[in-house]
Every structure is written in structure tokens, then in C-alpha cells.
Amino acid sequence: MPTVVFIDPHGSEHAVEAPDGRSLMQVAIDHAVPGILGDCGGVCSCATCHGYVDPAFLDQLPPRSETEVFMLEGVPDLRGNSRLCCQIRMQPALAGMRIQLPDEQV
Ligand code: FES
């Protein structure tokens, strides 16, 4: 099974198996990765699943929806590679992707 790598706010790396079609937020929660909360359960209404995705994979991701853009406006340190992990579903092209988690969620 492909893996993705979450880097928690303390710099520790967590390489976790990511089933095809599962959201990256849920993948992180499944593996108790610290630094991601997913408070709304993945319906894009809390922004506690913020992460910075590896820029090399940005063109493999679906574009941000209007709702995701709106929710990201409230995160503490918005960057060009900011995404909400609940809005990204695992697919083969994302194998090996690294996601840095922010120092703090909302
Ligand atoms: S889990 Fe709430 S916005 Fe992603």
C-alpha cells in the first residue's frame, strides 16, 4: 500500500499507509499523527486539518474549492502550499508525498 509522510510540529516524521480514496486527514487520524485534529470530521468546516503539502505534488492535487479557500483564510500561517487534508483523497500519484503540519491548528 502506498504511504505518505506527515511531519509533525516537532519535526518528527510519520510514514503511514494511505488507502486509495481515503482522505489524508482520516489517514493521519487513523495513525494518531500528532498535530492534526479533524474536528469537523472532514466536511471542510473547521480547518483543523491544515497542512503544507510538498510543492512537487501540488499539480497532482484537485484545486481548492471555494469552501476550502474560505476556511483557509482563518488559519494562523497560510502559505501557497496550504491545504486542508480532509479535502485531499489518496490516489496513486500521491505516493510518497510529504505533508508538514503547522505549529498550531486553528
Ligand atoms: S477536518 Fe474540518 S476542515 Fe478538514
Side-chain angles (χ1 to χ4, degrees), residues 1-5 14-18 90 94-98:
M1 186 179 298
T3 61
V4 294
V5 180
H14 305 263
V16 297
E17 291 188 337
M90 187 60 189
L94 303 184
M97 186 168 74
R98 297 166 67 83

Side-chain angles (χ1 to χ4, degrees), residues 6-82:
F6 291 95
I7 305 163
D8 73 30
H10 302 293
S12 296
E13 297 192 2
H14 305 263
V16 297
E17 291 188 337
D20 200 33
R22 194 142 177 88
S23 84
L24 295 186
M25 177 279 287
Q26 196 60 58
V27 167
I29 297 298
D30 290 346
H31 293 88
V33 174
I36 187 166
L37 303 174
D39 284 346
C40 76
V43 296
C44 202
S45 65
C46 73
T48 64
C49 63
H50 177 209
Y52 304 110
V53 300
D54 182 340
F57 286 82
L58 281 176
D59 62 357
Q60 301 291 332
L61 302 177
R64 294 170 178 156
S65 67
E66 284 185 24
T67 304
E68 184 178 356
V69 170
F70 177 76
M71 293 307 299
L72 281 168
E73 288 174 357
V75 304
D77 185 12
L78 180 64
R79 302 178 192 171
N81 60 339
S82 288

